Amino acid sequence: MNIFDELGDKHSVFTEKKYLDHRFLPDKLPHREIQIKSIAKYWIEALNGVTPPDITIYGKTGTGKTAVAKFAMKQLKEAANNNDINIRTEYIRCTDYTTEYQVIARLCQQMGRDVPYRGWTKAEVIHTFRNLFKKNAFGKNLILLVVLDEIDILLKNDGDGLLYTLTRTDNVSILSISNYVDFKKFIKPRVKSSLRDREIVFPPYGAQQLVDILEERSKLSFKDNVLSDDVIPLCAALAAKEEGDARYALDLLRTSGEIADEKSTEIVHGDYVREAKDFIEHNKITDIVMTLPSQQQRVLESILFLTKRREEITSGRLYEVYKDVSKGDTVSYRRIFDFINELEMLGLISTNTVSRGRAKGRTNIIDLQCETSILEDAIWGM
Ligand SMILES: Nc1ncnc2c1ncn2[C@@H]1O[C@H](COP(=O)(O)OP(=O)(O)OP(=O)(O)O)[C@@H](O)[C@H]1O
Ligand SMILES: [Mg+2]
């Protein structure tokens, strides 16, 4: 027997693992009916030849924003085909196209204009883009719906020029997706006034909602009767604690199944979910630590050292230890505060300001937010 046949034949609890992948777009999205309808209510105007209002979607990570937007795009495309109407939908992830130039160039390319990703002036690209909307020979208007996913990244990186250009182009409607409710602080008043957007909020999923989502997905991806009864409720409960993140819930479910396969068992047990949780946590922390600049790794190492000694970690004490750990190749005391901020944003530590009375003023106390053993592996295992 061929080795690949043998491996391929290996017993598995999965039928089709790909249905648990983040990129898979299910055709049922439980508990997002209201949000999908809200989008459809605005976009339906496009079917009548009218440019729909702009829309903004907000919500924490894993609340289904991308999935819902893509679902709505797909539905509109189908409806437009049936109606013989000139509508285009384009999806742009602003982590891939991070400047106004890149986004407009991408849109032109998608719509059949050969625009280079660099070299032209911005005005040339915008001109080419706007020409796409001149009435064509049949007198039909083209309506373009652009989904700008993770728009906060682009706004931070390149300002609000893109929104200005798009809102000032007739026949273009924008659907922006943001993780932050306050992303509009990056938009200047002149752009805000032309972005008369409708806002749709995606609340975090509750545990029961996550159960429904996971059940739907597990039917597609697991063999019958391989999940013990507590698996899905456990994944859902753990993900509900992580701010109702459906992506995390799906990761837990998939990893639990992979653990069952690795152990060559026929049943996915609840215990595997806990193992999956540790495994995912471990990987996440290792990934973060590995991509940190080395000086920052030294700061983290110092925090780990002090945590293990059960010392209270003030920035002063941290700097002392850090100077030792970094062996002369040391950054300034002020720079340490930037590092502390960044580590906190990554969720590795938390800081807490305590008052030490009049004389001593206020002090920042640092707390490690992950297991010391995982962090040790991540730091020493490299
Ligand atoms: N209601 C739902 N039903 C089925 N699957 C869902 C639902 N909501 C989210 N998912 C799935 O959960 C995963 C995360 O969803 P999605 O990518 O849409 O989240 P997001 O809000 O865009 O998160 P982020 O802010 O991190 O980009 C995807 O695999 C998606 O298919
Ligand atoms: Mg998303």
Side-chain angles (χ1 to χ4, degrees), residues 88-106:
R88 274 203 79 114
T89 55
E90 291 297 338
Y91 173 85
I92 305 267
R93 199 206 316 271
C94 300
T95 42
D96 298 336
Y97 303 91
T98 52
T99 63
E100 175 183 5
Y101 183 110
Q102 283 173 11
V103 171
I104 303 283
R106 168 74 181 171

Side-chain angles (χ1 to χ4, degrees), residues 25-227:
L25 180 62
D27 46 43
K28 261 198 224 160
L29 295 164
H31 304 295
R32 283 300 175 242
E33 294 82 3
I34 295 174
Q35 286 78 5
I36 293 169
K37 272 218 187 96
S38 310
I39 296 175
K41 198 178 71 193
Y42 300 123
W43 278 7
I44 196 169
E45 302 202 353
L47 295 174
N48 304 321
V50 178
T51 312
D54 299 318
I55 303 174
T56 304
I57 290 180
Y58 300 104
K60 297 229 163 94
T61 193
T63 52
K65 301 181 298 297
T66 301
V68 162
K70 287 193 166 169
F71 181 82
M73 283 172 69
K74 207 167 124 196
Q75 294 269 306
L76 181 70
K77 249 185 267 174
E78 274 172 36
N81 280 341
N82 298 337
N83 275 327
D84 184 34
I85 287 183
N86 206 3
I87 298 177
R88 274 203 79 114
T89 55
E90 291 297 338
Y91 173 85
I92 305 267
R93 199 206 316 271
C94 300
T95 42
D96 298 336
Y97 303 91
T98 52
T99 63
E100 175 183 5
Y101 183 110
Q102 283 173 11
V103 171
I104 303 283
R106 168 74 181 171
L107 289 172
C108 287
Q109 290 187 353
Q110 289 296 95
M111 295 166 78
R113 290 288 185 287
D114 202 12
V115 172
Y117 277 118
R118 54 174 63 88
W120 286 16
T121 64
K122 209 188 269 180
E124 282 172 312
V125 186
I126 292 172
H127 182 72
T128 307
F129 176 67
R130 290 202 165 132
N131 267 339
L132 291 165
F133 299 94
K134 297 264 159 70
K135 272 205 172 76
N136 67 21
F138 310 102
K140 265 207 213 162
N141 269 328
L142 167 67
I143 294 178
L144 173 66
L145 293 143
V146 188
V147 174
L148 298 170
D149 204 349
E150 321 225 0
I151 183 141
D152 5 71
I153 310 262
L154 188 138
L155 287 174
K156 257 184 243 166
N157 186 39
D158 194 44
D160 59 10
L162 175 69
L163 288 183
Y164 188 76
T165 300
L166 292 179
T167 51
R168 297 294 167 105
T169 305
D170 290 341
N171 297 11
V172 175
S173 167
I174 312 166
L175 186 153
S176 327
I177 302 179
S178 162
N179 284 61
Y180 306 100
V181 183
D182 64 348
F183 89 100
K184 284 197 183 142
K185 71 175 183 222
F186 295 107
I187 306 178
K188 290 186 217 92
R190 67 164 188 161
V191 179
K192 240 181 232 163
S193 68
S194 34
L195 182 76
R196 255 179 257 107
D197 61 332
R198 313 293 196 269
E199 300 184 352
I200 304 175
V201 176
F202 282 49
Y205 292 115
Q208 188 50 49
Q209 296 180 322
L210 289 166
V211 166
D212 296 337
I213 291 170
L214 292 180
E215 262 167 9
E216 206 60 53
R217 296 285 276 267
S218 66
K219 274 187 235 158
L220 300 169
S221 45
F222 284 96
K223 289 179 182 157
D224 289 341
N225 306 320
V226 296
L227 296 179

Side-chain angles (χ1 to χ4, degrees), residues 248-263:
Y248 181 56
L250 287 165
D251 277 348
L252 282 172
L253 186 60
R254 196 195 55 243
T255 309
S256 306
E258 286 168 350
I259 291 173
D261 278 1
E262 207 152 282
K263 295 184 196 285

